[in-house]
Amino acid sequence: MISEDQPRPKKLLDQVRDAIRLKHYSYRTEVSYVDWIRRFILFHNKRHPREMGVVEIEAFLTHLAVDGKVAASTQNQAFSAVLFLYRDVLGIQFEQPIQALRARESRYLPTVLTPEEVRAIIERLTGTYQLVVQLLYGSGLRQREALALRVKDVDFGQRQLGIRDAKGRECRVTMLPDRLIQPLQIHLQSVRQQHQQDLAQGYGSVYLPYALERKYPKAEREWEWQFVFPSDRLSCDPRSHITRRHYLHESGLQRAIKQAVRQAKVSKRVSCHTFRHSFATHLLQNGYDIRTVQELLGHKDVKTTMIYTHVLNRGGRGVRSPLDG
């Protein structure tokens, strides 16, 4: 029995959150892992994970593949979350391998726009959203990489962008298109004015990764750490509960792209990532070698970049149809 003087032990999902934050995983990963662990426990009628093991994990993963018909990536994410629970929270290592029925991996070619389609879509975007999409295509950025850019990551002199803490917690350098230098400089002038107004009102702090706010107490309010594309409103940080200005929410960008695609009458399924696919494909079409494209995209393995060579060779691998003579 716990005495009144002793603090109550933390709930399991709170322990999961603490472990995730200790490893400096992103907030999105935290939300995803907690949700999968909750679903795993509910699937087994709220049994405590310590009472379960390999058999229960295999049953859950098989259920996702057979009954849920989830994609392979979704099942892998659930698997990672449950393994994290056992290894990093409960300290349990399994000697026997986990053998569940795995979801079939889909093999598909990414959607690629023509340069004309890219221009048509960008022309129908306005303001900040247009600038973000120009970076997605002009620099080959992922959605989060563009939205989470900080002022210090933009090097106008070297005409390059520093991408920090990207997918896989990697860093890289990519190009900054010449035609975006002036628009970005004008955009940052208005962002700086907004930041100064926030400071005057007692706000102006920004989230810093890896507990840098403790190492550099004043950095969270310094200009170079601010987001290039800040939100138009202040919000409460779900972890620290501090009112801050985060970067633009991805849902607004996605809606703007969807509307622009409809107005441009492009009959392809276009997402933020489509512009990154188009960036890579068009560079290869222009004669750049695949290693250069791999470095700009931040792929660890050149095999990942090789998919764009398949896109170039589609239509019978470049074979001329007999119907065309």
Side-chain angles (χ1 to χ4, degrees), residues 117-231:
E117 289 171 335
V118 172
R119 284 194 292 270
I121 293 171
I122 289 177
E123 286 173 357
R124 285 161 176 81
L125 291 163
T126 58
T128 302
Y129 290 137
Q130 184 184 65
L131 196 52
V132 173
V133 173
Q134 286 176 314
L135 279 177
L136 295 178
Y137 175 65
S139 305
L141 304 186
R142 298 180 179 92
Q143 173 186 269
R144 184 188 174 279
E145 292 171 353
L147 295 178
L149 269 178
R150 298 180 190 259
V151 174
K152 66 182 183 62
D153 298 329
V154 183
D155 189 337
F156 290 111
Q158 296 291 331
R159 287 171 166 73
Q160 65 185 27
L161 300 174
I163 310 303
R164 322 283 179 181
D165 197 22
K167 187 176 181 181
R169 301 170 74 179
E170 297 289 331
C171 298
R172 73 180 191 279
V173 174
T174 188
M175 67 186 74
L176 172 61
D178 289 346
R179 64 177 298 178
L180 292 185
I181 291 178
Q182 186 176 8
L184 258 180
Q185 290 174 334
I186 295 172
H187 169 76
L188 286 175
Q189 289 176 4
S190 62
V191 172
R192 188 160 199 165
Q193 290 177 356
Q194 184 183 61
H195 175 56
Q196 290 172 344
Q197 292 174 1
D198 287 345
L199 289 173
Q201 295 172 5
Y203 300 108
S205 68
V206 70
Y207 165 76
L208 298 181
Y210 308 120
L212 285 175
E213 66 268 15
R214 291 200 296 270
K215 188 175 182 181
Y216 306 109
K218 296 182 180 180
E220 62 181 12
R221 286 180 166 78
E222 292 176 355
W223 165 240
E224 59 265 28
W225 282 98
Q226 303 304 307
F227 291 117
V228 174
F229 301 110
S231 172

Side-chain angles (χ1 to χ4, degrees), residues 18 24 32 38 45 50 58 65-66 76 88 111 131 133 137 155 188 206 219 237-238 260 279-280:
D18 289 344
H24 305 294
S32 176
R38 181 185 289 112
N45 300 316
R50 288 191 182 278
E58 290 176 347
V66 177
N76 288 337
D88 295 88
T111 300
L131 196 52
V133 173
Y137 175 65
D155 189 337
L188 286 175
V206 70
D237 190 310
F279 164 85

Side-chain angles (χ1 to χ4, degrees), residues 283-299:
L283 284 182
L284 291 172
Q285 287 175 336
N286 291 337
Y288 290 95
D289 66 276
I290 196 164
R291 291 291 182 179
T292 299
V293 177
Q294 176 194 0
E295 184 177 344
L296 292 172
L297 292 174
H299 289 160

Side-chain angles (χ1 to χ4, degrees), residues 253-283:
L253 175 62
Q254 292 162 359
R255 284 195 300 268
I257 290 176
K258 185 177 180 180
Q259 182 178 359
V261 170
R262 187 166 53 246
Q263 292 174 349
K265 298 180 180 179
V266 174
S267 56
K268 295 179 180 177
R269 188 172 182 178
V270 180
S271 67
C272 293
H273 218 63
T274 305
F275 296 98
R276 177 175 160 89
H277 293 322
S278 303
F279 164 85
T281 305
H282 296 167
L283 284 182

Side-chain angles (χ1 to χ4, degrees), residues 78-144:
F79 190 21
S80 298
V82 175
L83 280 184
F84 181 87
L85 168 66
Y86 279 95
R87 293 177 180 174
D88 295 88
V89 180
L90 301 178
I92 297 175
Q93 296 282 348
F94 299 114
E95 295 182 0
Q96 62 187 108
I98 298 174
Q99 298 176 337
L101 183 64
R102 305 310 298 268
R104 184 177 179 182
E105 289 193 17
S106 58
R107 300 187 65 184
Y108 65 93
L109 295 179
T111 300
V112 173
L113 301 168
T114 65
E116 294 74 22
E117 289 171 335
V118 172
R119 284 194 292 270
I121 293 171
I122 289 177
E123 286 173 357
R124 285 161 176 81
L125 291 163
T126 58
T128 302
Y129 290 137
Q130 184 184 65
L131 196 52
V132 173
V133 173
Q134 286 176 314
L135 279 177
L136 295 178
Y137 175 65
S139 305
L141 304 186
R142 298 180 179 92
Q143 173 186 269
R144 184 188 174 279

